[in-house]
């Protein structure tokens, strides 16, 4: 597919900030045809170094709370200012996804790109830890790395060149994730599907020279990518 919005950010300086397969292309595909109203207050859950938060604020006009446990809010705040965004438009917050520091029904929507698989495998997470902060009728948009078919009982040797079985347990197929989110009492499942972006987003990541990208190359160069995909999940709070 084409990525007219995320291509604006395809510079060496900004690509150094990505922490995995290109999250902007993933987010652009994820939000194609989205139903989040203009001017919404949105949580970028697992925002990392803030690049996806900038994308949500600049390209979609949302007021964005950049929520992440492992990044430095002050560093993100400086980055947001460099990108021409005020704190009225984008707010960095150090936050654990399992204990979010917001008022009930604070957000019109939550967008989570390449992070939900770390905390969303808890069957109680969605109803108990996330949806209480979303307004009735609000949306949750999720893009996560996954597998085309779960193979944890017989992990391909190509994947084990770069990842341990414990690391690969964060990746599952669409059937697993459909089953997980369908357990929710409070969410209507709109979509769970395989995304198109897999090859493009991995190619962007493997061009980077940080240690994590370099570490992923061995598996991908051996053909590990044929087992992997990205998964789109769209939910609406009842």
């Amino acid at each position: 597919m084409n990525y007219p919005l995320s291509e604006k950010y395809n510079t060496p300086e900004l690509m150094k900030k990505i922490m995995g397969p290109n999250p902007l292309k993933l987010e652009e595909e994820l939000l194609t045809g989205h139903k989040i109203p203009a001017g919404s207050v949105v949580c970028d859950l697992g925002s990392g170094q803030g690049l996806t938060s900038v994308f949500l604020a600049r390209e979609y006009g949302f007021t964005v709370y950049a929520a992440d446990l492992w990044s430095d809010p002050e560093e993100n705040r400086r980055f947001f200012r460099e990108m021409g965004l005020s704190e009225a438009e984008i707010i960095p917050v150090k936050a654990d996804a399992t204990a979010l520091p917001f008022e009930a029904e604070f957000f019109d929507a939550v967008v989570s790109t390449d992070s939900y698989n770390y905390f969303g495998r808890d069957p109680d997470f969605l109803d108990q830890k996330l949806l209480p902060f979303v307004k009735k009728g609000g949306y949750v948009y999720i893009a996560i790395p996954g597998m085309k078919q779960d193979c944890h009982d017989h992990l391909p040797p190509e994947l084990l060149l770069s990842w341990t079985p414990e690391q690969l347990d964060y990746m599952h197929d669409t059937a697993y994730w459909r089953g997980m989110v369908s357990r929710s009492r409070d969410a209507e499942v709109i979509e769970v599907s395989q995304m198109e972006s897999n090859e493009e987003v991995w190619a962007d990541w493997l061009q980077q020279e940080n240690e994590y990208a370099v570490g992923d190359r061995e598996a991908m160069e051996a053909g590990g990518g044929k087992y992997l995909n990205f998964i789109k999940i769209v939910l609406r709070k009842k």
Side-chain angles (χ1 to χ4, degrees):
M1 62 174 286
N2 295 320
Y3 305 92
L5 300 180
S6 53
E7 285 294 346
K8 302 175 190 177
Y9 301 82
N10 187 19
T11 68
E13 295 76 19
L14 293 179
M15 286 297 100
K16 285 181 181 178
K17 297 181 76 66
I18 68 175
M19 301 170 70
N22 191 330
L24 300 185
K25 288 182 178 178
L26 287 170
E27 199 157 84
E28 184 167 359
E29 180 180 353
L30 176 65
L31 293 179
T32 298
H34 74 86
K35 303 297 185 183
I36 306 171
S40 286
V41 176
V42 172
C43 178
D44 182 8
L45 185 61
S47 57
Q49 296 186 59
L51 191 56
T52 52
S53 304
V54 168
F55 191 67
L56 290 170
R58 289 180 61 171
E59 302 302 328
Y60 299 91
F62 302 140
T63 298
V64 180
Y65 283 76
D68 193 84
L69 181 60
W70 304 110
S71 60
D72 183 344
E74 286 305 315
E75 289 183 6
N76 281 352
R77 184 174 285 109
R78 286 193 292 272
F79 172 56
F80 299 153
R81 286 199 297 263
E82 290 170 3
M83 296 298 291
L85 293 163
S86 72
E87 196 147 347
E89 298 169 289
I90 187 167
I91 303 95
V93 180
K94 193 172 189 68
D96 185 335
T98 64
L100 292 171
F102 303 106
E103 298 293 328
E105 299 189 352
F106 187 77
F107 294 109
D108 298 294
V110 173
V111 178
S112 184
T113 304
D114 197 8
S115 63
Y116 189 87
N117 51 312
Y118 292 110
F119 38 79
R121 293 175 301 126
D122 176 354
D124 296 323
F125 174 78
L126 191 55
D127 282 351
Q128 295 184 9
K129 303 296 179 64
L130 183 59
L131 287 175
F133 301 99
V134 180
K135 294 175 183 176
K136 183 177 180 180
Y139 288 90
V140 178
Y141 281 82
I142 299 164
I144 44 176
M147 293 181 169
K148 293 178 180 175
Q149 185 171 354
D150 271 13
C151 54
H152 294 93
D153 292 337
H154 302 284
L155 287 168
E158 299 97 315
L159 296 180
L160 293 171
L161 292 171
S162 294
W163 300 291
T164 66
E166 292 75 18
Q167 290 171 320
L168 290 167
D169 193 42
Y170 290 107
M171 297 185 184
H172 290 275
D173 61 15
T174 54
Y176 170 94
W177 283 108
R178 186 177 293 107
M180 182 65 70
V181 297
S182 294
R183 300 181 191 186
S184 172
R185 300 180 308 274
D186 300 327
E188 174 190 0
V189 180
I190 305 296
E191 182 179 352
V192 181
S193 62
Q194 182 170 289
M195 300 178 73
E196 298 179 17
S197 313
N198 193 56
E199 290 186 13
E200 293 97 329
V201 299
W202 271 106
D204 290 345
W205 171 236
L206 296 176
Q207 290 176 11
Q208 307 310 309
E209 294 299 332
N210 70 67
E211 61 179 310
Y212 301 105
V214 171
D216 289 350
R217 287 177 191 165
E218 190 171 3
M220 299 302 285
E221 289 172 354
K226 65 178 175 284
Y227 302 103
L228 304 179
N229 65 1
F230 274 84
I231 296 168
K232 172 180 180 176
I233 301 173
V234 183
L235 310 171
R236 184 175 181 270
K237 185 175 177 180
K238 296 178 180 176

